[in-house]
Amino acid sequence: MTSDDTIPDPTTPPPPRETFDLDYLRREFTRLRDELAGVKTTLGSEAHEALERIGAHLEGADLKARVALLEEQLGHLSTTLKDKGKDAAEKLEHQVAEKPLTSVALAFGAGLLLASLLRRP
């Protein structure tokens, strides 16, 4: 049994309130400091392990393979977008050539609509 676990003698006067509070606060502060030191150690080691795993992952050949795959996919996407853009431009040119007055009227209406939307605060 420690001195904290002993049962006080009812015949002795209690310690002054200030002394009791200071002792209690000192014990709690010490306990808190010890717990924080343990948390700091745990967090430090876990952060170090996480950084090592991230570094190993980034240095691995797996990353190079994924980057190469992404480059290939971006190349295919770029080609597809260019082809679709060319097709859309050709269709638009064909429609304007077939119906020039309708195209001018639609362009004028779209311009008015856009201008009115941009004027609003």
Side-chain angles (χ1 to χ4, degrees), residues 22-81:
L22 278 176
D23 289 339
Y24 175 76
L25 288 175
R26 283 184 182 133
R27 284 193 310 269
E28 286 299 304
F29 182 74
T30 302
R31 184 182 63 79
L32 179 63
R33 186 176 47 198
D34 293 343
E35 286 180 17
L36 287 176
V39 168
K40 178 183 172 187
T41 303
T42 302
L43 286 176
S45 64
E46 288 179 6
H48 182 71
E49 289 173 13
L51 287 174
E52 284 181 351
R53 280 185 270 147
I54 289 170
H57 182 71
L58 290 176
E59 290 174 2
D62 184 43
L63 179 64
K64 291 178 183 177
R66 289 189 304 193
V67 167
L69 179 63
L70 284 174
E71 287 175 346
E72 182 181 334
Q73 290 174 344
L74 284 173
H76 289 301
L77 181 61
S78 173
T79 303
T80 302
L81 287 174

Side-chain angles (χ1 to χ4, degrees), residues 55-116:
H57 182 71
L58 290 176
E59 290 174 2
D62 184 43
L63 179 64
K64 291 178 183 177
R66 289 189 304 193
V67 167
L69 179 63
L70 284 174
E71 287 175 346
E72 182 181 334
Q73 290 174 344
L74 284 173
H76 289 301
L77 181 61
S78 173
T79 303
T80 302
L81 287 174
K82 285 179 185 177
D83 291 343
K84 288 188 178 191
K86 286 179 184 177
D87 290 344
E90 288 173 3
K91 285 180 184 178
L92 183 62
E93 285 178 16
H94 181 69
Q95 287 177 351
V96 169
E98 280 186 359
K99 301 177 183 177
L101 291 177
T102 305
S103 300
V104 170
L106 284 173
F108 182 74
L112 286 177
L113 179 64
L114 183 62
S116 69

